[in-house]
Every structure is written in structure tokens, then in C-alpha cells.
Amino acid sequence: MRLRLARRSLILRLVGLSLLLLLIVQAAGFTVVRASIDRNARAQIARALDLDENIWRRLLEQNAEQLRQGSALLAADYGFRSAVNSGDEDTIQSVLENHGSRIGAAVTALLGTDLELRAVSLTDGMDQFPATLRQVVPRLASQPQGSQTVVMDGVPYQFVMVPMRAPVVIGWVLMGFRIDQSRADEVRQLLAVHVALVVKGADGVVKVPVATLSPDARAQLLREGAAVGELQTDEGTLLVRASKLDSVGGEVHSLLLRSVDEVVAPYRQLQVLLAIITVAGVLLFAAGTGLVAQRLTTPLRSLLAATQRLSRGEYDTPLEHTGRMDEIGNLARSFDHMRVDIAAQQTEIRRLAYWDRLTGLPNRERFREAVVRALAGHPEHPGRAGHATMPQPMAVLTLDLDRFKHVNDVLGYAFGDRLLQAVAGRLSLQVRSPDDMVARLGGNEFAILLLNADAAAAHEIAQRINQSFEEPLAFEDQTVDLSAGIGFACWPGDADDADTLLSRSEIAMYAAKRKLSGALQYDAAFDSASAQTLSLLTELRHAVEHDELRLYLQPKVPLHGQTGLAAEALVRWQHPQRGLVPPMQFIPFAEQTGFVRQLTLWMFEEVARLLADPRTQGLPLRVSVNLSTRDLLDPELSNRLADILARHRVAASAFCLEITESAIMDDPQRAEAMLNRLSEQGFKLSIDDFGTGYSSLAYLKRLPVDELKIDKSFVMGMETGEDDAMIVRSTIDLAHNLGLTVVAEGVETAGILEQLRTLACDEAQGYHITRPLPVDDFLAWQARQGVG
């Protein structure tokens, strides 16, 4: 066996080397012959273009001479000279029009001895004597035997001017003719050379008014201009000889073009014949030597090819020579069985690795590969160069179902699986193109890849998904309302690579879930790992540790003479470089990163320290402190607050803890349990921004709430909107019926304050009463009010 393999290898090397040398010699010969033909053809065309250029210039000179003869004939006309001498303007105009029309002149004009225009006949769509000609007249007058090319509206004209003598000069005759297509066609017929005039007007616009080229070649010439030395057209390669004509009003280049292919064509047949002979010789040589090696090497080559196909992952092609009843046949049959087994295993592995078994959608890994491929194949991706076109955007949209864990806990995992399958079906109906992809990333999280979609298109898809979720899902006797947090990120604006694009789409999705928004595009402010926010967390920690935070209080005044003094505690950041930083510039970031829990504890500590201050111990002061979602979900919150109360020896009843509706609804059961514990400790509880969330009355009745705080958007709209006033009135009535007190925030005017008093609102807070105040200013303010 080794001897046979050695013989086969030697034969193949000898045959391959011989064929290689033969091909190299033939290729070198072809290269030399082709280069020589091309060089000789170009030299021949250059000589022909020299002759063409001389003939073309001579033709233009003859054309100018004909113009001069026509002008001289008009100038010598006795009747015309008599009319000029007598000043018969009608006769002059009639003669100019008739003579110009007879010889096809575009401009026929009579000028006085002072070279001022006396009469003119215009054709070619001209309505007045062109201003450009006023520059040409003195030049033509100084050389009556010459001519001048003038560009008007992108069209070249040839002008001559001859004196009218009787016997002294009594005027000048000016005539101009368009250099039109007929001249170029004449040269084309006589010399078999293409002619083109490239005109660049004074406004910089390039035109090709005269050309014998095809429309495609003419358009290409218009794009490249007169500086081109070689033109590639649908007719082949054209060599260009350009010469600039002396012109006024723009640049005129005369181009003569000859085809290289027409000169080379006779030699191509010889090359084809030589190629046929070479191919025939190579084939005969290969066939003769190949027959020697075929019987020895064919079966083993087949096995070698099969191993290569298997290494590339190609398992569909059956192995040849499995019918031989010898050792090679046995090897081929065993190898083919292995191919079939590996194919089956690879199919199953690929299905498990790239597809979600429950929904049949691509999984996270396959989705990521699709995004990577989409970016790698895009002409504007950093991995690709040499493209200057505008990038076609793409977007990744990620969504996470709301309350899916609750569905699993209440209705079971089998129902949850059916829900996921139904959601997959609805999402698949929303994609616009078969190139887009819907995937399940895991759990109740899905993603959609949108190719050629910008932010507006991605937002539209997200809105359509939300609309499709408005119809509940019904399974047998169970109906489930669907909602989801949806976020998306766009390439190239939001990310440069696939992993960043996926990550930022998820960040936008989590931000949408926190804000209860239908859909949000990625913003660096959402991302605690972005370059804009990397240093903010460190600065916030530094602010807490170095006493840069300040406690502010905004009073809540009673409207019906109730006893007691209330205020809302607010935090401000006195930054050493940036001054007083507004809370909206750092509170949302603190909520996103979880640092809001440290801020809450800081505020609680500062309020407890204020309540323990001798200046406030005699005051019936109750201070409201805001709790976030992360605070409510902290199982140690009640213990932490109890430690602060014990350390400062203040009562829990001096605090009112304000919680937003959305914070409660993120995890209602855990929130309810924590609120019950806080209420048992003696804290007063308030629902902040009431009316902007979606909490139900059933939850409101179950929660140990003492107060409702009406959102300022409704309060501020009371003076101008009946709907807002009705909402405020209904909220006050509802709260009082439930035994709760009502606080209205956003009181900006005295009119709003009076309306709230009329509607029996309990307390009010807003800029009309006072802005948030530092502690010392707040104590001074309450002293002026006579409270306490």
C-alpha cells in the first residue's frame, strides 16, 4: 500500500510540475504578446489622433472662413450699405433677418463705428443680444481676419466680424454660428473618429453639447470632464486627445476619441487561436499522464475529498467507491457510516445550540451571530474599508414580559410555556422583512433584529408590538393581559459592535420597565457603565462621605386650620466645582445603580438629626421622606430605619414615608409586606404622585396608607382644564371616603390654592407657598408663620 501511495505521489508531482511549467511558458507568451499588441495599438492610435486633430482644426478654420465670406457678402451688399448710410432701421433689420436666416446664423448684428449695437437678428431661442459678445467685439475688431469661440448658455458659437466700407468704415457686421452636431458627424464619417466638445460655463457647469458618442459614454464623459485621458465605455476603451479652444464666456475643450478595441480586434483572433492550441496541448498532455495515475489514485483521492468535506461540515455527499470488494471498498464503507452518524449528531447539536426548543425561535447565541454577521457584511462597518456611502442603519429591539413570574406562580409553568409560544407567534407577525429575525433570549425575554431600520422605524415596530399586546391571550377558560418593557438600540448611533448593541438594547429595555414606558431608545444616562456615568457613582459616594449633600425642606401647609407642621425632605448636592446640582441630574442615576438606598438612609439620618435638634423639639413637626422601588424591595429597610430612630431617640410618628404607585406595583406582594412592617413601626405612609400610575383600588384598600398626594400635573392644570379639576375633586372625595388625608403638590398660584381649599383638600405644597428651603431658612419661615 505504501509503495502504491509513493508511486501515486511521484506521478502526481511529475505531472503537476510538467503542467505547471507548460502553463507558465504559455502564460508568459500570452502576456508578452498581449502587452505588445496593446502598446502597438496605442502608438498607432496616437499617430492617427495627430492627423485627426490637424484635420479637425482645419475644419474649424474652414468653417470660420465660410462665416467671414458670408459676413463679407452682407457687408458688400449695396442696398444694405445704402440703408446703413440713410439710417433706414426697418430695412437694416429686414436684411439682417433675411441674410442670417438664409445662411443659418444664430446671431447677425450691425455695429456702429464705435462698436455699439445698432441692429441685431437673433435665433436659437435668444431674446436679447448676449452680454458676453460685448467682450468679444473689440477683440474681433482688432483682428478682422480671425474668429472667436464664445460660450453662451453652455453652447459654443463661432463668431466673425468684418468691416463695412463705403469706402471708409461705416460699420461692422457681426455673425455667429453654433458649432453643432453636424460638424462632428462629418468628421466621424470622414475619419472614423469620435468628436466631443466639453464646455465649462462661467457658472462652473460642465456640458457636452456636441458628441458622436453613445449616450452612456456621453454621460460618463460629462462626469469625468475634459481632463480624462482614457474613457471606458460600453463600446470598449477609447483613447482621448483633448485640446483647448480659445474661447470667451467659458472653457471649450475639443476631444477626439479612438477605440483601442477596434485596432486590437484583428489580433484578438490570433490570440484566441493560440489559446485554443495551448488548451488542446495541455488537455492532451494531462489526459495522457492522468490515465497513468487514475487507477492508483482515484479511490484514495475520493477518501481525501470526503475527509475535507467532513472538516468543512458538509455531510450530505455520499462517499464513492463503496461498492468495491477490496480493502479500499471496506474503508470507504466504514467512512461513509461515520459520515452519516456525524451528520446526525451535528444536526442535533446545532439545533440544541442555536434554537429555542419551546418556541422554535432562534436562541440568544444564534441571534448574536446574526447581529455579528449583519454588521460584518455591512459596507460601513469598521471591519470593511473602501466605501464612502451612507450607512444603512439597523436596530436591535429587546422586550421583557411584565409579571411573567406571577403567571407562572399562579397558573403554573405549563401555562407559562403556552404564553411564551403565543408571544413568539405575535412577535413573528410584526417583523417587516424576511431578513429580520425574532429570537427568544431566555426566560420571558425576546429580541428582534431589524435590518435597514432607523430609530423611528424601530419605535414604530415597538408601538405595533404594544398594540398587539392590547388584545389579551385566551387559553381555555383563562385570559391573560399582556404588557412588556421594550427597549431598542440602533447602529451606528448607539453602538459600534454587536455585543455593545445587544447590551445597550437590554439596558434601554430595563429603563423602559422602570419608567413604565412603552418603548425607549438607549440613552447613555440609562447606562451605569457608560463613559458619561462611570465617574458619577464615585462622585456621589464622595459627596456622602465628605458632607456635600444638603437637606432642604418644603412646607406642606394645612388648608383648614389643622394643628401641626409638615414638610417634605429633599436632597440637594453642593458640588465643590459645579455648585448646587439639581436632583434630576443625579437621583435617576442613583435609582438605576441602587445607590438611592444610601441616599435614602442619608436623608432619614439627617431628618432624624433635625427632629432631635433642640430647635425643633417643641414643634409638632412631621417630615415626609421619599422611598424608591429599591428601598421597598430591601428586606432590611425596616431594621435600618429602626436603628436610626433609636440612635437619635425620635418617634416614627414624626415621619411620613412617601411611596410612588409604580414602586408598589413593581412587586406588589413584597411591597405590601414591607409597608405593613413600616406601618406597624408607627410610620405614616403616603402614596406619592397619585393618579399617574396604574394601581387598583383593591391594592389601595389593602395597603396601610394614611395619605394620598395628588400629582402636580393635575393640580397645575386645575385653572385651565376642567378635566384636571374633576380628577382632583374625585381624588379628594375618594381619599376622604377611604379615611385618608389629601396633599396637593404643585400649587403655583393663589387661585389654585383657593380652589383646593374649596374642594376640602387637607394640605398643599408648592412654589406659591414657598420653594424648598435649607433647614435654617425653613425654621425661620415657620417662625414667621407663627406655627408651633
Side-chain angles (χ1 to χ4, degrees), residues 724-737:
D724 289 330
M726 186 178 300
I727 291 172
V728 172
R729 181 187 301 111
S730 301
T731 304
I732 293 173
D733 293 341
L734 170 67
H736 287 165
N737 289 335

Side-chain angles (χ1 to χ4, degrees), residues 519-533:
L520 284 179
Q521 184 178 3
Y522 170 79
D523 190 300
F526 303 156
D527 189 357
S528 60
S530 72
Q532 299 179 22
T533 57

Side-chain angles (χ1 to χ4, degrees), residues 645-706:
L645 294 177
R647 187 163 58 253
H648 292 280
R649 298 181 181 179
V650 294
S653 59
F655 287 84
C656 179
L657 304 181
E658 295 187 1
I659 309 100
T660 62
E661 292 181 77
S662 59
I664 298 172
M665 295 307 296
D666 273 355
D667 194 334
Q669 285 135 346
R670 290 176 64 184
E672 182 181 356
M674 178 55 68
L675 291 177
N676 282 324
R677 273 191 279 173
L678 294 173
S679 179
E680 291 168 1
Q681 288 179 261
F683 291 106
K684 183 177 181 179
L685 301 179
S686 173
I687 300 295
D688 193 11
D689 297 337
F690 185 78
T692 60
Y694 50 80
S695 58
S696 65
L697 291 178
Y699 270 114
L700 193 59
K701 287 177 58 180
R702 286 167 48 184
L703 296 175
V705 177
D706 304 288

Side-chain angles (χ1 to χ4, degrees), residues 179-199:
I179 302 178
D180 58 11
Q181 186 69 32
S182 61
R183 300 289 182 270
D185 291 339
E186 181 180 353
V187 174
R188 175 63 178 161
Q189 293 173 0
L190 290 174
L191 304 176
V193 63
H194 285 289
V195 180
L197 292 182
V198 179
V199 178

Side-chain angles (χ1 to χ4, degrees), residues 353-395:
Y354 292 107
W355 297 90
D356 177 58
R357 302 182 72 176
L358 177 63
T359 62
L361 295 177
N363 61 10
R364 180 183 292 272
E365 183 61 27
R366 179 168 172 78
F367 186 78
R368 179 187 175 278
E369 288 188 3
V371 176
V372 171
R373 283 198 304 271
L375 290 180
H378 200 286
E380 283 300 307
H381 190 259
R384 301 268 304 247
H387 298 268
T389 57
M390 291 297 292
Q392 292 294 324
M394 66 181 68

Side-chain angles (χ1 to χ4, degrees), residues 599-610:
L599 292 181
T600 300
L601 294 177
W602 179 89
M603 290 187 65
F604 205 87
E605 185 88 37
E606 291 299 309
V607 172
R609 183 177 290 111
L610 172 64

